[in-house]
């Protein structure tokens, strides 16, 4: 059977058709209320944007979803997780500051913000999935414990995965920092002695006692399981994040983490993809390039694979904008993100269907 994906475009000639009103109609027509129950604590998963970037989802879009969730009797909160890299969202304090400065104040979004993995990304739950690469996944505790979830994703390019949409928002966006590290690389961490201050925090947080601290920290790779906990707690970044990985392996590991993010919420998750400001790189970089296609629309579904597939198909069918990162692939039908990053990001969709996360076959239903 085909999965249903509902769609609104951005054409408007009257007030009833502005984006906010259309988004609320999309919520209703797609039947999003079916994942919500009265008194649910509902996580609205969103990316608050890095400082210096303006192409993240507008806070007033989140407000429309918040208000609709409240109409259903549920209690929404906006949420994201801390980053693995050093930036303006690397712990909950600076993350909340960045979210507020980027417009996600309570007076705007009408809901509290909770950073789901805690102050230093230590609030996580090991979720059993028993897949090819992972037996368990490290999912942010407050996302795991939410009764239901609505995932708001900005579709754009990504330097490591080709593109980012719903699946990446689930995989990286719902994982603790150590979960992010495990997805990125199988290389075990090492210590840069010049940066190490022998504080011992890494040793205290190592789950298998693989770290000994004398003049510097030393990691025994025979014992180390590569969980990445030490990289996330090191105050001087003497234990560096490992990024090197095989692309296809990285995509499969992300697919499994996406599966883990929703594994305890069957029938309790809905997805929105915003295909607008389709920039070459993700919202984690503190700048944004010009969009590679014109704004297309917003999609809604209960199937994370189908909604990403439909979003990519719409982008590939569009005529690419000139004077952008697109090389020469302006005509419709070309794989635009592959042209930019030389990565076949669509492989993640095939793998996610294979492991049972969703369905590649979809029916696109236009909402007026």
């Amino acid at each position: 059977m085909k999965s249903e994906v509902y769609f609104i475009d951005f054409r408007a000639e009257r007030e009833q058709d502005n984006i906010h009103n259309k988004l609320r109609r999309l919520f209703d027509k797609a039947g999003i209320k079916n994942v919500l129950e009265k008194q649910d604590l509902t996580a609205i998963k969103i990316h608050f944007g890095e400082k210096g970037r303006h192409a993240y989802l507008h806070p007033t879009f989140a407000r429309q979803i918040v208000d609709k969730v409240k109409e259903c009797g549920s209690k929404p909160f906006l949420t994201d997780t801390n980053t693995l890299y050093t930036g303006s969202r690397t712990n909950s304090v600076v993350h909340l500051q960045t979210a507020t400065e980027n417009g996600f104040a309570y007076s705007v979004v009408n809901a509290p913000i909770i950073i789901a993995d805690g102050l230093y990304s230590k609030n996580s739950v090991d979720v059993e999935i028993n897949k090819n690469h992972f037996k368990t996944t490290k999912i942010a505790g407050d996302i795991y414990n939410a009764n239901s979830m609505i995932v708001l994703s900005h579709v754009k390019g990504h330097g490591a995965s080709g593109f980012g949409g719903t699946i990446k928002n689930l995989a990286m966006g719902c994982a603790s920092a150590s979960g992010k590290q495990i997805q990125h690389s199988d290389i075990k961490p090492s210590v840069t002695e010049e940066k190490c201050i022998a504080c011992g925090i890494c040793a205290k947080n190592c789950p298998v006692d693989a770290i000994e601290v004398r003049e510097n920290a030393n990691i025994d790779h025979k014992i180390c399981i590569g969980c990445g906990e030490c990289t996330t707690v090191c105050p001087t970044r003497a234990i560096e994040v490992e990024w090197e990985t095989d692309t296809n392996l990285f995509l499969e590991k992300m697919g499994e983490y996406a599966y883990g993010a929703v594994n305890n919420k069957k029938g309790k998750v809905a997805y929105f993809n915003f295909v607008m400001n389709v920039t070459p790189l993700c919202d984690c970089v503190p700048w944004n390039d010009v969009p590679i296609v014109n704004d297309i629309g917003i999609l809604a579904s209960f199937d994370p694979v189908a909604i990403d597939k439909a979003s990519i198909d719409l982008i590939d069918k569009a005529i690419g904008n000139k004077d952008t990162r697109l090389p020469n692939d302006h005509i419709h039908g070309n794989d635009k993100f592959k042209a930019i990053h030389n990565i076949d990001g669509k492989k993640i969709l095939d793998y996610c269907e294979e492991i049972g996360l969703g369905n590649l076959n979809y029916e696109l239903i236009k909402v007026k």
Side-chain angles (χ1 to χ4, degrees):
M1 289 182 60
K2 293 183 177 181
S3 294
E4 294 179 339
V5 179
Y6 292 81
F7 170 72
I8 57 170
D9 62 26
F10 290 133
R11 294 297 306 275
E13 295 181 352
R14 54 180 186 164
E15 182 180 351
Q16 296 97 308
D17 292 334
N18 67 36
I19 297 178
H20 292 168
N21 288 328
K22 276 191 168 185
L23 182 53
R24 293 170 71 89
R25 290 204 295 275
L26 180 63
F27 186 103
D28 292 336
K29 293 290 186 182
I32 305 302
K33 67 179 182 180
N34 292 330
V35 305
L36 305 171
E37 296 180 35
K38 287 187 177 181
Q39 303 305 314
D40 267 6
L41 298 181
T42 302
I44 298 180
K45 174 63 182 74
I46 195 169
H47 192 303
F48 297 115
E50 199 72 16
K51 279 186 180 180
R53 188 172 178 86
H54 65 263
Y56 53 86
L57 297 184
H58 199 282
T60 60
F61 297 160
R63 171 62 180 264
Q64 310 313 310
I65 303 301
V66 165
D67 289 348
K68 293 299 294 184
V69 170
K70 287 187 173 183
E71 287 178 15
C72 296
S74 300
K75 300 180 183 300
F77 63 95
L78 268 61
T79 193
D80 197 5
T81 58
N82 293 314
T83 59
L84 183 60
Y85 62 84
T86 301
S88 67
R89 298 178 302 117
T90 193
N91 62 63
S92 292
V93 174
V94 295
H95 201 156
L96 287 168
Q97 289 174 341
T98 298
T100 302
E101 291 171 11
N102 282 351
F104 292 91
Y106 190 97
S107 58
V108 178
V109 298
N110 198 26
I113 295 175
I114 297 173
I115 305 304
D117 56 334
L119 188 63
Y120 286 112
S121 199
K122 300 298 290 181
N123 176 18
S124 70
V125 176
D126 287 343
V127 178
E128 186 175 347
I129 62 168
N130 293 315
K131 297 300 179 185
N132 298 318
H133 304 293
F134 298 114
K135 299 305 177 187
T136 61
T137 54
K138 298 176 181 294
I139 303 301
D142 290 333
I143 286 175
Y144 177 85
N145 289 315
N147 304 116
S148 51
M149 182 162 64
I150 297 178
V151 183
L152 309 183
S153 304
H154 173 212
V155 182
K156 65 281 174 190
H158 191 277
S161 59
F163 77 94
T166 284
I167 294 171
K168 186 173 183 298
N169 199 0
L170 290 175
M172 286 293 170
C174 294
S176 67
S178 60
K180 293 177 173 70
Q181 173 65 88
I182 293 170
Q183 290 177 75
H184 270 292
S185 181
D186 288 324
I187 299 175
K188 294 182 178 180
S190 57
V191 179
T192 303
E193 293 185 0
E194 308 87 73
K195 294 182 179 180
C196 181
I197 58 175
C199 64
I201 294 175
C202 56
K204 291 177 183 177
N205 283 274
C206 178
V208 292
D209 296 325
I211 303 176
E212 183 181 13
V213 181
R214 293 179 180 174
E215 293 183 4
N216 294 292
N218 180 65
I219 301 172
D220 187 339
H221 284 176
K222 293 180 180 178
I223 302 174
C224 174
I225 58 174
C227 68
E229 291 287 354
C230 56
T231 65
T232 67
V233 297
C234 178
T236 62
R237 292 285 173 163
I239 306 176
E240 297 182 356
V241 174
E242 298 290 347
W243 303 106
E244 185 179 343
T245 188
D246 173 79
T247 298
N248 291 336
L249 176 61
F250 174 56
L251 293 173
E252 290 185 1
K253 289 161 77 174
M254 279 210 306
E256 293 186 10
Y257 253 76
Y259 185 98
V262 296
N263 196 40
N264 72 324
K265 291 184 174 59
K266 291 179 173 60
K268 299 287 289 179
V269 188
Y271 308 95
F272 288 84
N273 269 6
F274 292 72
V275 189
M276 59 190 303
N277 288 322
V278 183
T279 52
L281 294 174
C282 81
D283 295 340
C284 292
V285 299
W287 73 87
N288 47 271
D289 202 346
V290 294
I292 61 172
V293 295
N294 291 334
D295 291 350
I296 293 173
I298 305 172
L299 297 83
S301 182
F302 300 117
D303 186 326
V305 177
I307 197 171
D308 270 3
K309 178 68 163 60
S311 300
I312 295 302
D313 287 348
L314 288 169
I315 291 169
D316 286 347
K317 288 176 184 176
I319 297 175
N321 294 330
K322 295 184 178 181
D323 300 320
T324 69
R325 279 280 299 275
L326 278 175
N328 292 303
D329 289 3
H330 307 304
I331 60 173
H332 66 82
N334 288 14
D335 188 330
K336 294 178 175 58
F337 292 128
K338 186 176 182 180
I340 294 171
H341 297 297
N342 195 29
I343 294 170
D344 186 1
K346 295 175 183 176
K347 288 184 177 180
I348 197 172
L349 303 177
D350 297 328
Y351 187 71
C352 285
E353 184 182 54
E354 178 185 325
I355 64 175
L357 183 60
N359 186 8
L360 285 168
N361 292 319
Y362 67 89
E363 177 187 5
L364 192 64
I365 304 168
K366 189 167 184 179
V367 176
K368 295 184 179 179

